[in-house]
Amino acid sequence: MGKGLKDIHVSYVGSHENSDKIPQWMKANGGAFSREINQNVTHLIASESAFNKDVEAVRKARDWGVRIVTYDWLEDSLMAKPCRPLRVGPYLWDRIGKEKTEKFDGKNGKRGRKPGQKNSSQRKREVDTTKDGRVLPSDMEHRGHHLYVEETTYNATLVRAYISKSRIFRETFNVTLYESNNTPHTYVTLVKYNRYRSSREDILAPCGSTLEFAKSTFENFFTVKTGLEWKDRFDESKVPISGTMDDGVPIKPEGGWFSYERPTGIMSSLNADAERGL
């Protein structure tokens, strides 16, 4: 278990994509979590809607001097190398809200910043933060990590076709488990989603996670998307019927199960056959 966030105590308010994982992430990195804000909390992770509505948790945070930050602050801190709480300046909702009120000055011909646009010093801070802290999946092997291999490589591409405006498109999830080069080893599980004109990258298990936690998040994600256990990914007899479960109940997400895309290439095929015992 890591200790990168050992002095950090967070709470959150509003809707966040991975709210349910925040308690586990904090525990895995030595931090603390409270579902309800209290005076021990150091950082309140607030959605834009909750901040703008000035909900009770936001008002209490102001009264108690708690830093009110975006969800990105937590995610970027978790992905920093080493994991550590990043400077809150660029992530403070008070600062972001102030920037969004700046408008074009038409009277004197000077162009102010558009809502959400950063000035040069803020862009410099963001670049530094990205360079030193934010780690995207494509960068992991350059940041002291390698693909985790047990009896198999923990990397999977999941695919599904969908129709839009009479055209067939493809959407994919690529989920990967990495192991640190340094010992004692720590682990991280990341997933990248791609769809026509849309992509995103999410953390399933942050840097500093245990192998048990990183593997469980990897395998659980695989099962939720494909309807298969990871160990059964090559067993075609267990592939669920698209759109339904065994009892005929409609599945989630809508549109049918994702399929595991078998690795291509001669060596990949041989490795896959070996895993299946062929």
Side-chain angles (χ1 to χ4, degrees):
M1 181 178 293
K3 296 183 179 180
L5 301 180
K6 66 178 181 178
D7 296 322
I8 304 302
H9 190 143
V10 307
S11 182
Y12 72 82
V13 62
S15 178
H16 307 279
E17 186 171 358
N18 293 303
S19 297
D20 58 324
K21 297 184 178 71
I22 292 177
Q24 295 171 306
W25 291 348
M26 295 306 298
K27 182 178 180 181
N29 289 277
F33 170 80
S34 294
R35 184 61 189 89
E36 302 296 331
I37 189 170
N38 58 61
Q39 295 190 50
N40 293 320
V41 169
T42 58
H43 297 72
L44 175 66
I45 300 167
S47 67
E48 184 172 11
S49 175
F51 179 80
N52 289 338
K53 291 179 181 178
D54 199 29
V55 298
E56 182 180 4
V58 171
R59 294 196 301 271
K60 287 183 176 179
R62 283 203 182 97
D63 291 342
W64 295 335
V66 175
R67 300 174 179 90
I68 308 171
V69 297
T70 66
Y71 171 82
D72 288 343
W73 171 82
L74 176 61
E75 185 173 275
D76 289 354
S77 296
L78 289 168
M79 295 305 297
K81 181 173 175 58
C83 172
R84 66 191 187 281
L86 298 180
R87 295 171 308 199
V88 298
Y91 305 91
L92 288 172
W93 271 119
D94 282 327
R95 176 178 291 184
I96 294 170
K98 183 178 179 180
E99 291 170 0
K100 287 187 175 182
T101 62
E102 296 183 8
K103 300 178 180 179
F104 178 80
D105 183 357
K107 292 182 179 180
N108 55 25
K110 294 181 179 179
R111 181 176 296 277
R113 295 197 303 277
K114 297 178 181 179
Q117 182 180 351
K118 310 298 189 297
N119 62 28
S120 59
S121 62
Q122 289 166 334
R123 286 195 297 271
K124 177 63 165 57
R125 285 196 296 272
E126 289 189 349
V127 169
D128 290 342
T129 298
T130 301
K131 182 179 179 181
D132 297 333
R134 176 80 172 184
V135 183
L136 301 177
S138 58
D139 296 329
M140 288 303 295
E141 292 178 47
H142 302 289
R143 302 270 182 161
H145 287 73
H146 54 265
L147 293 176
Y148 174 71
V149 180
E150 201 171 75
E151 295 178 351
T152 182
T153 300
Y154 272 71
N155 179 53
T157 299
L158 314 181
V159 299
R160 184 172 70 181
Y162 68 97
I163 299 175
S164 177
K165 297 181 179 179
S166 301
R167 294 177 61 188
I168 299 177
F169 296 93
R170 164 184 160 117
E171 58 183 335
T172 66
F173 282 102
N174 185 265
V175 57
T176 309
L177 195 163
Y178 293 94
E179 179 180 66
S180 67
N181 296 338
N182 295 333
T183 55
H185 294 305
T186 58
Y187 302 84
V188 56
T189 305
L190 304 172
V191 61
K192 182 174 182 178
Y193 173 76
N194 278 293
R195 183 183 172 111
Y196 180 61
R197 292 183 175 178
S198 176
S199 66
R200 68 175 185 269
E201 292 157 317
D202 294 319
I203 307 168
L204 298 181
C207 288
S209 295
T210 63
L211 177 59
E212 180 182 12
F213 180 63
K215 282 179 65 176
S216 68
T217 59
F218 179 100
E219 294 177 359
N220 288 342
F221 184 89
F222 184 88
T223 299
V224 167
K225 296 300 181 184
T226 66
L228 288 170
E229 297 292 331
W230 173 244
K231 62 181 177 63
D232 296 327
R233 62 195 181 282
F234 296 120
D235 190 340
E236 295 182 0
S237 68
K238 295 186 178 182
V239 175
I241 299 173
S242 181
T244 63
M245 299 181 71
D246 293 339
D247 57 5
V249 176
I251 67 163
K252 295 181 179 180
E254 296 179 358
W257 296 108
F258 281 80
S259 299
Y260 172 59
E261 185 171 75
R262 181 171 169 171
T264 58
I266 296 176
M267 291 305 298
S268 296
S269 297
L270 290 174
N271 290 337
D273 289 341
E275 291 176 34
R276 295 193 303 169
L278 299 179

